[in-house]
mmCIF file of all heavy atoms in Angstrom:
data_model
loop_
_atom_site.group_PDB
_atom_site.id
_atom_site.type_symbol
_atom_site.label_atom_id
_atom_site.label_comp_id
_atom_site.label_asym_id
_atom_site.label_seq_id
_atom_site.Cartn_x
_atom_site.Cartn_y
_atom_site.Cartn_z
ATOM 1 N N ARG A 1 88.493 102.142 118.994
ATOM 2 C CA ARG A 1 87.951 101.822 117.685
ATOM 3 C C ARG A 1 87.950 100.302 117.471
ATOM 4 O O ARG A 1 87.800 99.820 116.370
ATOM 5 C CB ARG A 1 88.784 102.442 116.568
ATOM 6 C CG ARG A 1 88.957 103.936 116.649
ATOM 7 C CD ARG A 1 87.791 104.654 115.972
ATOM 8 N NE ARG A 1 88.064 106.048 115.741
ATOM 9 C CZ ARG A 1 87.996 106.994 116.670
ATOM 10 N NH1 ARG A 1 87.700 106.694 117.897
ATOM 11 N NH2 ARG A 1 88.239 108.252 116.374
ATOM 12 N N ALA A 2 88.135 99.531 118.551
ATOM 13 C CA ALA A 2 88.280 98.088 118.429
ATOM 14 C C ALA A 2 87.006 97.425 117.921
ATOM 15 O O ALA A 2 87.060 96.385 117.298
ATOM 16 C CB ALA A 2 88.675 97.491 119.770
ATOM 17 N N HIS A 3 85.848 98.020 118.180
ATOM 18 C CA HIS A 3 84.601 97.375 117.813
ATOM 19 C C HIS A 3 83.958 97.979 116.572
ATOM 20 O O HIS A 3 82.829 97.670 116.265
ATOM 21 C CB HIS A 3 83.618 97.426 118.989
ATOM 22 C CG HIS A 3 84.170 96.731 120.201
ATOM 23 N ND1 HIS A 3 84.390 95.391 120.232
ATOM 24 C CD2 HIS A 3 84.582 97.213 121.390
ATOM 25 C CE1 HIS A 3 84.897 95.053 121.409
ATOM 26 N NE2 HIS A 3 85.027 96.148 122.122
ATOM 27 N N THR A 4 84.671 98.818 115.881
ATOM 28 C CA THR A 4 84.135 99.375 114.644
ATOM 29 C C THR A 4 84.894 98.779 113.474
ATOM 30 O O THR A 4 86.029 98.355 113.614
ATOM 31 C CB THR A 4 84.268 100.908 114.615
ATOM 32 O OG1 THR A 4 85.648 101.242 114.684
ATOM 33 C CG2 THR A 4 83.508 101.547 115.756
ATOM 34 N N THR A 5 84.265 98.737 112.353
ATOM 35 C CA THR A 5 84.935 98.233 111.160
ATOM 36 C C THR A 5 84.976 99.334 110.119
ATOM 37 O O THR A 5 84.086 100.164 110.039
ATOM 38 C CB THR A 5 84.186 97.017 110.573
ATOM 39 O OG1 THR A 5 82.846 97.403 110.269
ATOM 40 C CG2 THR A 5 84.179 95.854 111.544
ATOM 41 N N ALA A 6 86.026 99.299 109.355
ATOM 42 C CA ALA A 6 86.148 100.274 108.277
ATOM 43 C C ALA A 6 85.201 99.854 107.163
ATOM 44 O O ALA A 6 85.006 98.664 106.912
ATOM 45 C CB ALA A 6 87.582 100.307 107.762
ATOM 46 N N PRO A 7 84.607 100.829 106.488
ATOM 47 C CA PRO A 7 83.718 100.465 105.385
ATOM 48 C C PRO A 7 84.524 99.789 104.284
ATOM 49 O O PRO A 7 85.661 100.159 104.011
ATOM 50 C CB PRO A 7 83.144 101.797 104.919
ATOM 51 C CG PRO A 7 84.083 102.828 105.430
ATOM 52 C CD PRO A 7 84.717 102.256 106.663
ATOM 53 N N ALA A 8 83.946 98.808 103.673
ATOM 54 C CA ALA A 8 84.616 98.114 102.578
ATOM 55 C C ALA A 8 84.661 99.025 101.357
ATOM 56 O O ALA A 8 83.756 99.831 101.141
ATOM 57 C CB ALA A 8 83.859 96.825 102.239
ATOM 58 N N ALA A 9 85.710 98.901 100.607
ATOM 59 C CA ALA A 9 85.808 99.688 99.381
ATOM 60 C C ALA A 9 84.713 99.226 98.422
ATOM 61 O O ALA A 9 84.491 98.035 98.241
ATOM 62 C CB ALA A 9 87.176 99.498 98.740
ATOM 63 N N ALA A 10 84.039 100.181 97.850
ATOM 64 C CA ALA A 10 82.946 99.861 96.933
ATOM 65 C C ALA A 10 83.520 99.333 95.631
ATOM 66 O O ALA A 10 84.427 99.930 95.067
ATOM 67 C CB ALA A 10 82.102 101.095 96.666
ATOM 68 N N PRO A 11 83.026 98.212 95.168
ATOM 69 C CA PRO A 11 83.509 97.716 93.888
ATOM 70 C C PRO A 11 83.061 98.647 92.771
ATOM 71 O O PRO A 11 82.056 99.340 92.894
ATOM 72 C CB PRO A 11 82.850 96.339 93.765
ATOM 73 C CG PRO A 11 81.642 96.407 94.636
ATOM 74 C CD PRO A 11 81.985 97.381 95.739
ATOM 75 N N SER A 12 83.815 98.646 91.709
ATOM 76 C CA SER A 12 83.459 99.487 90.577
ATOM 77 C C SER A 12 82.150 98.986 89.982
ATOM 78 O O SER A 12 81.996 97.812 89.693
ATOM 79 C CB SER A 12 84.558 99.439 89.526
ATOM 80 O OG SER A 12 84.151 100.156 88.392
ATOM 81 N N SER A 13 81.205 99.884 89.841
ATOM 82 C CA SER A 13 79.925 99.494 89.274
ATOM 83 C C SER A 13 79.873 99.742 87.770
ATOM 84 O O SER A 13 78.903 99.401 87.121
ATOM 85 C CB SER A 13 78.791 100.251 89.967
ATOM 86 O OG SER A 13 78.957 101.638 89.779
ATOM 87 N N ALA A 14 80.917 100.344 87.232
ATOM 88 C CA ALA A 14 80.949 100.630 85.801
ATOM 89 C C ALA A 14 81.358 99.369 85.038
ATOM 90 O O ALA A 14 82.313 98.701 85.411
ATOM 91 C CB ALA A 14 81.933 101.751 85.511
ATOM 92 N N PRO A 15 80.651 99.057 83.980
ATOM 93 C CA PRO A 15 81.045 97.918 83.152
ATOM 94 C C PRO A 15 82.427 98.166 82.543
ATOM 95 O O PRO A 15 82.814 99.318 82.308
ATOM 96 C CB PRO A 15 79.975 97.870 82.059
ATOM 97 C CG PRO A 15 78.856 98.719 82.549
ATOM 98 C CD PRO A 15 79.436 99.700 83.510
ATOM 99 N N PRO A 16 83.176 97.104 82.267
ATOM 100 C CA PRO A 16 84.533 97.287 81.747
ATOM 101 C C PRO A 16 84.581 98.057 80.430
ATOM 102 O O PRO A 16 85.521 98.810 80.196
ATOM 103 C CB PRO A 16 85.058 95.856 81.582
ATOM 104 C CG PRO A 16 83.893 94.963 81.701
ATOM 105 C CD PRO A 16 82.826 95.708 82.440
ATOM 106 N N GLU A 17 83.554 97.922 79.595
ATOM 107 C CA GLU A 17 83.587 98.671 78.332
ATOM 108 C C GLU A 17 83.430 100.171 78.569
ATOM 109 O O GLU A 17 83.931 100.976 77.785
ATOM 110 C CB GLU A 17 82.559 98.156 77.325
ATOM 111 C CG GLU A 17 81.142 98.154 77.791
ATOM 112 C CD GLU A 17 80.719 96.865 78.512
ATOM 113 O OE1 GLU A 17 81.563 96.038 78.867
ATOM 114 O OE2 GLU A 17 79.510 96.719 78.726
ATOM 115 N N ASP A 18 82.759 100.565 79.658
ATOM 116 C CA ASP A 18 82.653 101.990 79.989
ATOM 117 C C ASP A 18 84.005 102.534 80.446
ATOM 118 O O ASP A 18 84.401 103.640 80.064
ATOM 119 C CB ASP A 18 81.611 102.231 81.082
ATOM 120 C CG ASP A 18 80.184 102.008 80.606
ATOM 121 O OD1 ASP A 18 79.978 101.819 79.381
ATOM 122 O OD2 ASP A 18 79.280 102.019 81.458
ATOM 123 N N LEU A 19 84.705 101.761 81.280
ATOM 124 C CA LEU A 19 86.029 102.188 81.732
ATOM 125 C C LEU A 19 86.996 102.259 80.560
ATOM 126 O O LEU A 19 87.774 103.214 80.450
ATOM 127 C CB LEU A 19 86.543 101.235 82.807
ATOM 128 C CG LEU A 19 85.707 101.148 84.074
ATOM 129 C CD1 LEU A 19 86.243 100.069 85.003
ATOM 130 C CD2 LEU A 19 85.656 102.491 84.785
ATOM 131 N N CYS A 20 86.925 101.275 79.683
ATOM 132 C CA CYS A 20 87.757 101.269 78.478
ATOM 133 C C CYS A 20 87.478 102.518 77.640
ATOM 134 O O CYS A 20 88.406 103.203 77.200
ATOM 135 C CB CYS A 20 87.472 99.999 77.684
ATOM 136 S SG CYS A 20 88.231 99.921 76.045
ATOM 137 N N THR A 21 86.207 102.822 77.447
ATOM 138 C CA THR A 21 85.820 103.983 76.641
ATOM 139 C C THR A 21 86.394 105.265 77.228
ATOM 140 O O THR A 21 86.941 106.099 76.499
ATOM 141 C CB THR A 21 84.284 104.089 76.544
ATOM 142 O OG1 THR A 21 83.784 102.911 75.923
ATOM 143 C CG2 THR A 21 83.859 105.316 75.758
ATOM 144 N N ARG A 22 86.293 105.414 78.530
ATOM 145 C CA ARG A 22 86.798 106.642 79.168
ATOM 146 C C ARG A 22 88.298 106.795 78.999
ATOM 147 O O ARG A 22 88.787 107.870 78.654
ATOM 148 C CB ARG A 22 86.430 106.650 80.653
ATOM 149 C CG ARG A 22 84.969 106.948 80.868
ATOM 150 C CD ARG A 22 84.518 107.137 82.286
ATOM 151 N NE ARG A 22 85.508 107.137 83.325
ATOM 152 C CZ ARG A 22 85.342 106.584 84.516
ATOM 153 N NH1 ARG A 22 84.217 105.986 84.824
ATOM 154 N NH2 ARG A 22 86.292 106.648 85.434
ATOM 155 N N VAL A 23 89.036 105.723 79.234
ATOM 156 C CA VAL A 23 90.485 105.835 79.160
ATOM 157 C C VAL A 23 90.963 105.987 77.714
ATOM 158 O O VAL A 23 91.867 106.780 77.423
ATOM 159 C CB VAL A 23 91.185 104.653 79.893
ATOM 160 C CG1 VAL A 23 91.061 103.352 79.150
ATOM 161 C CG2 VAL A 23 92.630 104.965 80.165
ATOM 162 N N VAL A 24 90.340 105.273 76.781
ATOM 163 C CA VAL A 24 90.731 105.395 75.376
ATOM 164 C C VAL A 24 90.389 106.788 74.848
ATOM 165 O O VAL A 24 91.203 107.407 74.151
ATOM 166 C CB VAL A 24 90.072 104.283 74.517
ATOM 167 C CG1 VAL A 24 90.226 104.567 73.029
ATOM 168 C CG2 VAL A 24 90.674 102.924 74.865
#
């Protein structure tokens, strides 16, 4: 597996106010 790379973690595409809304 020396020549393969792990996929990068996808950044959150949700705006912060959406995340705030869900948790609140």
Side-chain angles (χ1 to χ4, degrees):
R1 304 274 194 282
H3 300 294
T4 61
T5 58
S12 175
S13 61
E17 57 271 12
D18 290 352
L19 299 174
C20 172
T21 299
R22 286 187 5 219
V23 72
V24 168

